[in-house]
Amino acid sequence: MTGQENALIEINNLKKYFNVGRGAVLKAVDDVNLKIMEGETLGLVGESGCGKTTLGRTVIRLYEPTGGEVLFEGKNVHKLQGQELRGFNRKAQMIFQDPYASLNPRMTVADIIGEGIDIHGLYKNRERTERIYELLNLVGLNKEHANRFPHEFSGGQRQRIGIARALAVEPKFIVCDEPISALDVSIQAQVVNLLMELQQKFKLTYLFIAHDLSMVKYVSDRIAVMYLGVVVELATSEDLHKSPLHPYTQALLSAIPIPDPETERKKKRILLEGDVPSPINPPEGCRFAKRCRHAKPVCTEKQPEFKEVEKNHFVACHLY
Amino acid sequence: MERLLEVKDLQVSFKTYAGEVKAVRGVSFHVDRGETVAVVGESGCGKSVTMQAIMRLIPMPPGVIKNGTIIFDGKDITKLSEKEMEHIRGSEISMVFQDPMTSLNPTMKVGAQIAEGLIKHQKMHPSKAREKAIEMLKLVGIPNAEKRVDQYPHEFSGGMRQRAMIAIALACNPKLLIADEPTTALDVTIQAQILDLMRDLQKKLNTAIIIITHNLGVVANLAQRVLVMYAGKIIERGSLDEIFYNPRHPYTWGLLMSVPTPELDKNKRLASIDGTPPDLFAPPVGCAFAARCEYAMRICYEKYPEDFPVSDGHSAACWLLHPMAPKVKPPVGKGVTL
Ligand SMILES: Nc1ncnc2c1ncn2[C@@H]1O[C@H](COP(=O)(O)OP(=O)(O)OP(=O)(O)O)[C@@H](O)[C@H]1O
Ligand SMILES: Nc1ncnc2c1ncn2[C@@H]1O[C@H](COP(=O)(O)OP(=O)(O)OP(=O)(O)O)[C@@H](O)[C@H]1O
Ligand code: SF4
Ligand code: SF4
Ligand SMILES: [Mg+2]
Ligand SMILES: [Mg+2]
């Protein structure tokens, strides 16, 4: 991505805190700034619990932010009303991590896919049925599947139903929250190929959350790395893999197990000591300092600024 | 190396209202002392059922072991009483399950869960067992072990729970550790810690490991030998390098090609294996992969291919290895022509 495209989504100083009782506040997302360009895939990676899902859910208005704003086509998502709000609810969709839990077991596939069409009054009667068949076709299922229930499908097929449901309302933007983690390799490949084809066909914009960094690199134009509620690095996926700057990103990349025995035998991994600190009362200064090999005194005193250190390559670290 | 486990012609079925699911259809393999064997293959191909049979944890009914011998450390464990088997499960073979939250007891302190087996099977004194529990927690890299030993599972993070499971599994110094998808739910940095831990412990204690995973990066990192399963059978087996660099079965090719590597070109589609695995109610008579195989020949539909040897310890059940079959260049590996 170059600087010329339009931002479909602008995330400015976004905060999402949770009250977890006895006055304790959990800072799941703490001052995040990101732009997602029209037609791009922005990958989002980071340790379990660092706030990826919370960020995705706040962006599509499933959560109210504690602070900051999200602009979609220039408008503040959390202030939309009436017609504009309905429009946004249609244009921004989410594909959920768990293909088993995210489909209502008592609804037929046709009704799961048709629900959004009905809510937004997009098609009726015959047209509605045809639209559902068309969507099933698009995701590699067929109309014989329409009247079956989710439990009659394999994991990969269920994930396809979830994708058809998201596409039913002709969205522009989809948050894909670990859409492939629960699937085995060859089915992962099928689902990813499908997502990429659909993106080209309909000029979709994706926020793609996943653990598998090789896959994230493959699907994403740019990648943001989160750690404990903050974005610590942002770059094109090429740059991020070739020259990761943040010590956490470096550790993350060095830990990907590569499906090649010789590479694995030669590999030197950067081992991280200790566990992720709690997002309740996160440490002052750099949140990674306790586990960082390069930590200096300033790191525990001052939170590093998120700044552009190379063209289109941003990092929050006192080393740069 | 000395044999630790020898499984011969294992056949396991499930009797359901819809008919008999032939989940494991004649599986034979061995594991030597101190070695790591990885088992890979598509969802539903019988990996977990094979391991459950070794642990004698198949629910019966609906499960039936139709055939097979399982020799562990010189004993045929299919013939042991349930009481003898319980002892083996507590002290000689341990299993780490995929989901640590459902396999840890939520109402029992983590330390007590580690100590339980030691007290029961090794007749260890409770205070000694507690010390050992702390030592095990330290060994699996849990900070503050003295304090953590008295906490409950929900007070541990996901990665710590997984390590606690491994601590329980290893506390009794088992001869065999069976790990079923031990790192699937973890992110890569914690996954790396767990793999290192398993390797270290294996060196220290000479434990043999069977690891089931669909992450081929994990296989490349940890295994010495690989078994590839498809529709209830082992269709290819060999050393780690033979399987990755000289694979001979079209299903193994498909598996290796589906995996993205960091070098993968974005403009290319990912390879995937089209179609679905066969119905295990009525598995095909010939090669079970034939319906999805672009190299399938007539004989493939008619007769199950025998296990053709490729090199020492490497064999594949595919008609392409028959001397009369057409020569095919494998699309993956280091390009050896058959
Ligand atoms: N509804 C909630 N109430 C309280 N805390 C929450 C809630 N949702 C999330 N959290 C907490 O916020 C933090 C971020 O959670 P989130 O689910 O966004 O992480 P994640 O990066 O998606 O992790 P994973 O990779 O495990 O899915 C975690 O500490 C989590 O426990
Ligand atoms: N209790 C049961 N009753 C009926 N069928 C069963 C039962 N347990 C397993 N099966 C069937 O046996 C076959 C093999 O299952 P198994 O759990 O061994 O697969 P797997 O290779 O471990 O797959 P995965 O990678 O998804 O864990 C599947 O077709 C499954 O549906
Ligand atoms: S700011 Fe300091 S502690 Fe944080 S990542 Fe950079 S060097 Fe490490
Ligand atoms: S035996 Fe035939 S169908 Fe089976 S994998 Fe080999 S070539 Fe393909
Ligand atoms: Mg999440
Ligand atoms: Mg299994």
Side-chain angles (χ1 to χ4, degrees):
Chain A
M1 287 283 129
T2 57
Q4 273 89 49
E5 289 89 351
N6 290 327
L8 179 66
I9 290 172
E10 269 185 63
I11 301 168
N12 297 321
N13 306 100
L14 192 69
K15 297 188 173 106
K16 178 63 193 171
Y17 298 171
F18 294 105
N19 281 318
V20 287
R22 287 199 230 129
V25 174
L26 187 151
K27 299 182 175 177
V29 172
D30 201 10
D31 204 1
V32 164
N33 292 284
L34 283 173
K35 283 190 180 126
I36 308 178
M37 303 300 163
E38 191 138 21
E40 89 163 326
T41 299
L42 179 68
L44 184 60
V45 300
E47 210 144 349
S48 178
C50 69
K52 305 181 293 295
T53 299
T54 305
L55 179 64
R57 295 180 75 104
T58 312
V59 168
I60 66 161
R61 212 175 183 270
L62 292 175
Y63 288 146
E64 279 296 312
T66 309
E69 58 173 15
V70 178
L71 306 182
F72 182 86
E73 296 176 323
K75 300 217 168 84
N76 187 328
V77 163
H78 296 89
K79 296 229 163 80
L80 295 175
Q81 284 180 330
Q83 191 76 34
E84 280 187 329
L85 174 57
R86 271 197 302 282
F88 174 76
N89 283 340
R90 183 175 68 71
K91 286 183 214 161
Q93 294 292 318
M94 187 150 178
I95 298 170
F96 297 89
Q97 170 167 11
D98 186 346
Y100 296 86
S102 60
L103 303 176
N104 185 336
R106 280 181 293 277
M107 280 166 76
T108 64
V109 168
D111 288 335
I112 290 171
I113 298 174
E115 200 177 20
I117 298 180
D118 300 342
I119 291 173
H120 296 285
L122 296 177
Y123 299 95
K124 291 220 163 55
N125 307 327
R126 257 261 284 302
E127 266 182 8
R128 174 185 186 271
T129 311
E130 301 214 317
R131 174 75 181 143
I132 289 169
Y133 292 166
E134 186 188 323
L135 285 159
L136 283 170
N137 239 321
L138 198 65
V139 298
L141 299 170
N142 58 54
K143 59 181 181 194
E144 277 73 50
H145 293 126
N147 293 318
R148 301 211 204 153
F149 291 89
H151 73 262
E152 298 173 59
F153 293 89
S154 73
Q157 289 174 320
R158 284 183 224 204
Q159 203 52 289
R160 287 162 181 269
I161 297 168
I163 294 171
R165 172 177 60 185
L167 290 172
V169 294
E170 293 156 23
K172 291 185 77 166
F173 170 63
I174 304 180
V175 175
C176 307
D177 191 3
E178 311 216 22
I180 51 169
S181 309
L183 309 174
D184 64 48
V185 231
S186 77
I187 302 172
Q188 282 187 3
Q190 288 174 19
V191 171
V192 165
N193 284 334
L194 175 65
L195 286 171
M196 308 263 290
E197 260 165 43
L198 294 169
Q199 178 167 48
Q200 290 211 326
K201 219 177 202 158
F202 302 112
K203 294 196 71 186
L204 296 172
T205 304
Y206 291 142
L207 177 64
F208 190 92
I209 303 174
H211 277 319
D212 181 337
L213 287 140
S214 304
M215 198 62 103
V216 173
K217 180 185 177 214
Y218 175 73
V219 301
S220 307
D221 299 295
R222 292 183 305 148
I223 298 175
V225 182
M226 272 184 92
Y227 189 81
L228 210 63
V230 298
V231 173
V232 295
E233 187 159 2
L234 172 69
T236 63
S237 47
E238 285 300 321
D239 285 350
L240 192 90
H241 273 76
K242 242 189 276 146
S243 50
L245 298 176
H246 196 281
Y248 174 65
T249 313
Q250 291 167 356
L252 205 60
L253 290 174
S254 83
I256 310 176
I258 307 294
D260 180 74
E262 275 168 21
T263 313
E264 281 300 302
R265 281 193 286 266
K266 276 186 270 171
K267 191 159 77 180
K268 287 265 175 295
R269 261 187 274 118
I270 304 168
L271 282 182
L272 288 182
E273 301 287 324
D275 271 306
V276 194
S278 161
I280 303 168
N281 305 319
E284 298 273 312
C286 171
R287 295 182 181 195
F288 186 57
K290 257 169 80 185
R291 305 170 78 191
C292 180
R293 310 185 287 164
H294 305 292
K296 312 181 276 192
V298 60
C299 299
T300 47
E301 287 154 16
K302 208 168 139 258
Q303 184 163 354
E305 215 185 305
F306 188 60
K307 54 182 184 270
E308 188 167 12
V309 297
E310 284 163 22
K311 193 167 172 355
N312 294 323
H313 196 151
F314 297 79
V315 66
C317 170
H318 289 303
L319 294 177
Y320 305 96
Chain B
M1 264 202 270
E2 203 188 331
R3 279 292 130 92
L4 177 65
L5 176 74
E6 177 104 47
V7 176
K8 274 203 190 117
D9 199 24
L10 182 68
Q11 296 175 22
V12 186
S13 287
F14 293 94
K15 297 262 165 74
T16 69
Y17 68 93
E20 181 184 333
V21 184
K22 301 190 177 79
V24 176
R25 303 188 296 136
V27 158
S28 303
F29 68 97
H30 71 271
V31 178
D32 288 333
R33 272 179 217 283
E35 81 167 332
T36 302
V37 176
V39 185
V40 299
E42 210 154 39
S43 181
C45 70
K47 304 180 296 287
S48 297
V49 170
T50 301
M51 300 311 143
Q52 283 159 12
I54 295 171
M55 294 290 277
R56 289 251 305 261
L57 290 173
I58 304 256
M60 296 197 222
V64 206
I65 297 199
K66 305 200 75 166
N67 190 34
T69 50
I70 300 169
I71 311 287
F72 175 76
D73 210 11
K75 298 181 281 282
D76 184 350
I77 56 176
T78 57
K79 303 219 160 60
L80 298 183
S81 71
E82 182 47 37
K83 195 147 180 269
E84 290 167 306
M85 197 56 215
E86 206 176 290
H87 182 78
I88 296 228
R89 280 199 291 264
S91 59
E92 301 199 15
I93 311 179
S94 294
M95 189 150 172
V96 177
F97 297 89
Q98 178 167 358
D99 179 2
M101 211 43 197
T102 54
S103 40
L104 286 171
N105 181 344
T107 63
M108 201 172 160
K109 289 175 180 167
V110 172
Q113 296 188 51
I114 302 175
E116 194 183 22
L118 297 170
I119 297 168
K120 194 165 161 200
H121 297 291
Q122 303 190 359
K123 312 277 176 262
M124 202 182 264
H125 189 272
S127 66
K128 189 119 187 290
R130 188 190 146 84
E131 267 169 44
K132 175 86 179 180
I134 295 172
E135 186 192 318
M136 288 310 298
L137 287 176
K138 283 186 183 153
L139 198 66
V140 298
I142 290 184
N144 271 330
E146 285 85 357
K147 222 167 106 197
R148 293 286 187 178
V149 72
D150 290 321
Q151 288 186 332
Y152 290 93
H154 73 264
E155 296 172 84
F156 279 39
S157 77
M160 282 161 61
R161 274 180 224 141
Q162 194 66 288
R163 278 177 273 174
M165 275 291 303
I166 295 180
I168 295 172
L170 292 171
C172 56
N173 295 354
K175 294 177 180 139
L176 176 63
L177 172 70
I178 300 175
D180 195 349
E181 304 272 7
T183 61
T184 310
L186 306 174
D187 43 80
V188 285
T189 54
I190 296 173
Q191 173 176 289
Q193 286 176 27
I194 298 221
L195 297 179
D196 281 351
L197 172 75
M198 295 192 358
R199 206 191 335 270
D200 279 2
L201 293 170
Q202 181 172 46
K203 270 196 207 120
K204 272 185 217 148
L205 309 171
N206 202 32
T207 314
I209 298 176
I210 300 178
I211 179 167
I212 301 177
T213 176
H214 56 240
N215 185 332
L216 293 176
V218 169
V219 175
N221 178 287
L222 198 66
Q224 280 122 36
R225 277 197 305 126
V226 183
L227 310 175
V228 186
M229 285 187 72
Y230 189 80
K233 290 178 184 266
I234 294 175
I235 51 94
E236 183 160 11
R237 69 184 78 217
S239 69
L240 179 66
D241 285 34
E242 280 287 306
I243 295 295
F244 277 79
Y245 299 138
N246 187 22
R248 294 305 180 97
H249 196 287
Y251 174 68
T252 314
W253 297 343
L255 204 59
L256 290 169
M257 284 193 302
S258 309
V259 191
T261 60
E263 288 78 42
L264 190 79
D265 180 357
K266 284 180 100 78
N267 300 315
K268 280 203 212 125
R269 269 175 72 89
L270 290 173
S272 68
I273 308 171
D274 288 333
T276 46
D279 184 358
L280 292 175
F281 289 110
V285 277
C287 170
F289 190 57
R292 305 169 77 184
C293 177
E294 59 177 295
Y295 309 95
M297 302 162 280
R298 205 168 79 201
I299 187 161
C300 304
Y301 292 94
E302 291 165 357
K303 204 161 172 272
Y304 186 79
E306 56 187 287
D307 223 6
F308 290 95
V310 177
S311 61
D312 193 24
H314 182 189
S315 63
C318 172
W319 285 117
L320 287 176
L321 287 161
H322 190 279
M324 313 265 289
K327 302 284 171 263
V328 170
K329 192 169 152 47
V332 274
K334 294 208 163 147
V336 190
T337 314
L338 295 176

